[in-house]
Amino acid sequence: MLTTIEHFCDLGIFSDLDVHFTKLIAHLSQSQEEGLLLGAALASHFTTLGSSCVDLEKMAKQSYPSEGTNTLLCPNLSQWLNTLQNSTVVGQPGEYTPLILDKSRLYLYRYWDYERQLATQIRARSRKARTDVNQDILKDGLLRLFPMQGEGQYSAALTAVQRNFCIISGGPGTGKTSTVVKILALLLEQNQKLSIALAAPTGKAAIRLQEAITQALHHLNCSSKIKAAIPQKTYTIHRLLGSKPDSPEFRNHAGNLLPYNVVVIDEASMVDLALMGKLAQAIPKTARWILLGDKDQLASVEAGTVLGDICEVGIKKGKEHKQTNIQNSIVFLNKSYRFSEDSGIRTLAEAVKQGQSEAALQILQSEKYPDVQWHSIDSGLPLSLLNEIVTYFSHCLEKNIPQTVLQEFDTFRILCASRHGHLGVKAVNRRIEEELRSLGLIQTYSRWYHGRPIMISHNDYNLQLFNGDVGIILRNPSNRYELQAFFPDTKGQIRAFWPNRLPEHETVYAMTIHKSQGSEFNKIIMLLPNPFLPILSRELIYTGLTRARQHVSVWGNKQVFQEAVSQKISRSSGLSEQLN
């Protein structure tokens, strides 16, 4: 079996890490049992695919991969479980072994422990309502801030104030951020000395959270003293926890808790299992913990679908009409304030979310919805689209004023499903750059040139530049027209950096849909690959569509689009079950 697993590594199915882990299991167990070694390889492999475990019941008697000429046939379930249960390196929940077998789910110990700790934290925080709330003050605040009491935002605020754990999930424009600002006002009216932390998974998402809070304060119906007490500084989760260089550990943890009474996390769908577990450990048990996000968006690139798993518990319990502590802590916002009832973007996003592939394509092709468009292409950028893109970028560079250029650049974005292929980020960025250069709009004599848009790909806490931050290289008229990189800061000001000081970064005329999470643009052009790639899913399409405020055009193959909408991401996890 080891030889077979090494062969599958050569084929690109398993990774070197999967092979090394399997060899370690073989050495520790002094066993060559096929079921054990295959289970070890799959448990390691599935974590890289976003799962926290491998579901043996689903895999039993199935071929992996499911398609292709080179596949592995998994054992039947009873035989597989028997092999694992009799191994010295496989333990039951609560034991300390390299692999944990929990019913029919096989985990690497680390991921089983992350799930267990996170579930324990959430159950404890959801167990009962707070007893320190002045109900008269709360009632007055709710009436003032939420005059339409029947709406979901009112319920979200009531839940967040009265419980230690609260999830507010909703699609774009449902008012998650404006609701949390009102929640903060309600909490500060209860106690103005509260210490509040606001954070998001990425630097870009943290900036957007800060911008949204600043904007919402202008319309907040409360005293100026309360407004002044609402924090506007935001953090990335890594910075909030105090990341250590070259280490997965943080300065704040169960033995050194965060000094906050309220912790708000935006874009929670992007937070992976390991990070969410470490965050939960670091938040004081008496503090309120509020998660904001869209459960239907793409989950983290790393293992875990935490927000979706928790929300699934709420949905299931709601259908069964049994009110539980967890379900009482989850509020879904369904009314969109950004899009009208006849909005094409809204209608299309709903169809995609429901997996209605034919209806979604019809909406895109219908003249009824001018804010969404479909264009059929097979491969490569069509000349008409390339001309449209070039016109846009040339317009961006008409004025050499950094703030103006960045504002213009942020109104439009090209989104690709993947990094590779004819319509992947690398090829599209290269093609756009070539066209701009051929027209004399840019001069690419060196790596850095006037007009080059860039995206940071590695956090630099000294420079306060974070993964996902987007800036642009321009000649600075205030500094002898030297080339500098300009980035917006959290206060809306522009910061300039010498290019050679920047952390790792890449050209970003186009970006992946994954990297666009936490951002919004007026207009989106979405490019889909042909043929179909496994990365395509309804969650990916939905996430891309909902980055747009005003207009979306999708370019691709009809069959590929429909197959993508029909494909729902399936990640194995035991978190929902542990929360029941």
Side-chain angles (χ1 to χ4, degrees):
M1 177 54 72
L2 272 177
T3 303
T4 304
I5 289 171
E6 287 176 324
H7 174 61
F8 274 67
C9 178
D10 293 336
L11 294 172
I13 296 171
F14 289 133
S15 68
D16 290 335
L17 182 61
D18 301 333
V19 174
H20 287 305
F21 179 71
T22 306
K23 287 181 176 180
L24 174 65
I25 291 298
H27 172 72
L28 293 175
S29 65
Q30 294 296 299
S31 170
Q32 295 294 319
E33 284 274 5
E34 291 192 3
L36 172 63
L37 301 187
L38 178 58
L42 290 173
S44 173
H45 179 60
F46 270 57
T47 59
T48 65
L49 299 180
S51 293
S52 58
C53 59
V54 54
D55 190 330
L56 304 180
E57 188 172 1
K58 289 181 180 178
M59 297 295 295
K61 299 180 73 173
Q62 302 297 313
S63 294
Y64 188 81
S66 58
E67 298 177 355
T69 55
N70 293 283
T71 61
L72 284 165
L73 181 62
C74 298
N76 69 62
L77 184 60
S78 60
Q79 176 190 345
W80 208 352
L81 292 176
N82 184 61
T83 298
L84 294 168
Q85 287 164 351
N86 290 314
S87 173
T88 57
V89 295
V90 180
Q92 298 298 310
E95 296 180 345
Y96 186 66
T97 51
L99 291 165
I100 296 293
L101 182 61
D102 189 349
K103 298 179 181 176
S104 65
R105 292 186 297 272
L106 184 65
Y107 292 84
L108 303 182
Y109 176 84
R110 181 161 61 106
Y111 287 96
W112 174 82
D113 196 45
Y114 285 146
E115 271 193 8
R116 177 190 63 82
Q117 291 190 32
L118 181 57
T120 300
Q121 287 281 339
I122 292 172
R123 285 198 307 269
R125 294 171 190 275
S126 306
R127 194 161 290 140
K128 55 187 178 182
R130 295 184 68 103
T131 58
D132 59 348
V133 177
N134 185 313
Q135 296 297 329
D136 291 334
I137 294 175
L138 176 59
K139 183 179 178 180
D140 174 72
L142 286 169
L143 289 172
R144 180 172 13 91
L145 294 169
F146 299 92
M148 304 294 289
Q149 294 181 42
E151 297 188 359
Q153 294 184 3
Y154 176 92
S155 298
L158 188 62
T159 301
V161 172
Q162 299 202 119
R163 306 193 77 86
N164 271 353
F165 179 71
C166 176
I167 285 182
I168 304 173
S169 177
T174 52
K176 297 185 292 294
T177 309
S178 60
T179 299
V180 87
V181 174
K182 294 177 182 179
I183 290 169
L184 297 180
L186 292 171
L187 291 174
L188 288 165
E189 287 175 350
Q190 295 280 327
N191 178 6
Q192 290 187 35
K193 295 181 179 179
L194 287 177
S195 179
I196 300 169
L198 306 170
T202 66
K204 182 68 175 177
I207 289 174
R208 282 202 58 249
L209 174 61
Q210 186 174 61
E211 290 171 347
I213 288 173
T214 302
Q215 188 175 8
L217 283 176
H218 297 303
H219 312 289
L220 199 59
N221 185 14
C222 65
S223 70
S224 56
K225 185 180 289 187
I226 295 298
K227 284 185 182 181
I230 293 175
Q232 296 181 55
K233 184 176 182 178
T234 56
Y235 303 87
T236 62
I237 298 175
H238 284 79
R239 187 179 174 213
L240 177 70
L241 291 174
S243 61
K244 297 180 179 179
D246 303 316
S247 170
E249 302 304 320
F250 295 97
R251 285 189 288 275
N252 290 107
H253 45 73
N256 182 31
L257 298 174
L258 289 165
Y260 298 106
N261 308 115
V262 182
V263 176
V264 178
I265 304 297
D266 196 16
E267 297 291 351
S269 65
M270 299 167 63
V271 186
D272 63 85
L273 174 63
L275 184 57
M276 193 72 87
K278 291 173 182 179
L279 176 66
Q281 291 287 311
I283 298 174
K285 290 180 172 56
T286 55
R288 289 178 173 86
W289 183 19
I290 303 170
L291 297 177
L292 310 176
D294 184 347
K295 66 178 178 61
D296 297 303
Q297 268 190 205
L298 280 168
S300 164
V301 176
E302 305 297 330
T305 51
V306 177
L307 186 70
D309 287 345
I310 303 172
C311 288
E312 187 63 27
V313 174
I315 294 168
K316 286 180 179 178
K317 291 298 180 182
K319 289 179 179 177
E320 294 169 7
H321 305 292
K322 295 178 183 177
Q323 296 293 312
T324 67
N325 292 324
I326 300 292
Q327 201 235 342
N328 286 335
S329 299
I330 304 170
V331 182
F332 299 108
L333 303 181
N334 298 311
K335 182 176 180 181
S336 176
Y337 297 89
R338 180 183 305 164
F339 303 118
S340 62
E341 291 292 334
D342 59 351
S343 161
I345 296 175
R346 176 179 178 173
T347 308
L348 176 59
E350 282 298 317
V352 169
K353 191 166 65 174
Q354 300 300 323
Q356 299 169 351
S357 58
E358 289 188 18
L361 186 59
Q362 288 175 1
I363 293 164
L364 273 169
Q365 294 177 310
S366 172
E367 295 182 0
K368 179 181 177 182
Y369 302 105
D371 55 337
V372 296
Q373 288 182 338
W374 171 262
H375 301 271
S376 289
I377 54 173
D378 289 319
S379 62
L381 285 177
L383 186 58
S384 60
L385 176 56
L386 191 58
N387 289 337
E388 180 183 343
I389 293 169
V390 166
T391 299
Y392 165 75
F393 282 115
S394 62
H395 177 67
C396 277
L397 296 172
E398 284 179 355
K399 295 182 180 179
N400 188 28
I401 303 172
Q403 189 155 17
T404 303
V405 173
L406 284 167
Q407 287 173 351
E408 186 70 28
F409 184 65
D410 254 0
T411 63
F412 168 89
R413 195 66 91 243
I414 304 159
L415 301 182
C416 303
S418 68
R419 291 185 61 81
H420 306 287
H422 293 299
L423 290 172
V425 162
K426 288 187 175 181
V428 171
N429 276 325
R430 185 169 56 250
R431 184 69 186 91
I432 293 170
E433 199 170 54
E434 289 170 353
E435 187 68 15
L436 290 169
R437 182 173 59 241
S438 70
L439 295 172
L441 295 171
I442 60 174
Q443 296 178 342
T444 58
Y445 299 130
S446 67
R447 179 184 177 191
W448 300 298
Y449 57 83
H450 178 77
R452 181 192 174 202
I454 58 174
M455 180 170 62
I456 300 299
S457 54
H458 185 78
N459 293 339
D460 187 319
Y461 290 92
N462 292 323
L463 295 180
Q464 293 294 289
L465 290 173
F466 303 102
N467 185 13
D469 287 356
V470 173
I472 196 160
I473 305 286
L474 296 171
R475 295 197 177 279
N476 190 350
S478 302
N479 201 345
R480 303 186 305 279
Y481 287 91
E482 296 278 357
L483 287 173
Q484 288 193 279
F486 295 90
F487 288 84
D489 67 10
T490 54
K491 297 180 180 179
Q493 303 300 311
I494 301 299
R495 297 187 298 154
F497 301 88
W498 294 112
N500 58 4
R501 288 196 64 207
L502 295 174
E504 292 178 28
H505 57 280
E506 58 191 47
T507 302
V508 68
Y509 293 105
M511 67 196 306
T512 61
I513 295 172
H514 269 96
K515 286 287 189 179
S516 74
Q517 285 184 271
S519 300
E520 291 178 354
F521 312 97
N522 291 344
K523 182 176 181 178
I524 288 296
I525 290 175
M526 190 189 306
L527 304 176
L528 301 181
N530 187 23
F532 182 85
L533 295 176
I535 193 174
L536 293 174
S537 66
R538 73 181 63 164
E539 291 87 352
L540 188 83
I541 303 297
Y542 172 83
T543 301
L545 295 174
T546 54
R547 299 311 90 207
R549 299 188 190 97
Q550 298 173 6
H551 190 273
V552 172
S553 62
V554 181
W555 297 68
N557 174 278
K558 292 179 182 179
Q559 185 177 346
V560 169
F561 173 79
Q562 289 185 286
E563 192 174 348
V565 174
S566 301
Q567 183 80 24
K568 183 173 176 60
I569 290 176
S570 178
R571 291 185 172 184
S572 296
S573 162
L575 182 59
S576 293
E577 187 172 311
Q578 291 208 48
L579 288 171
N580 282 324

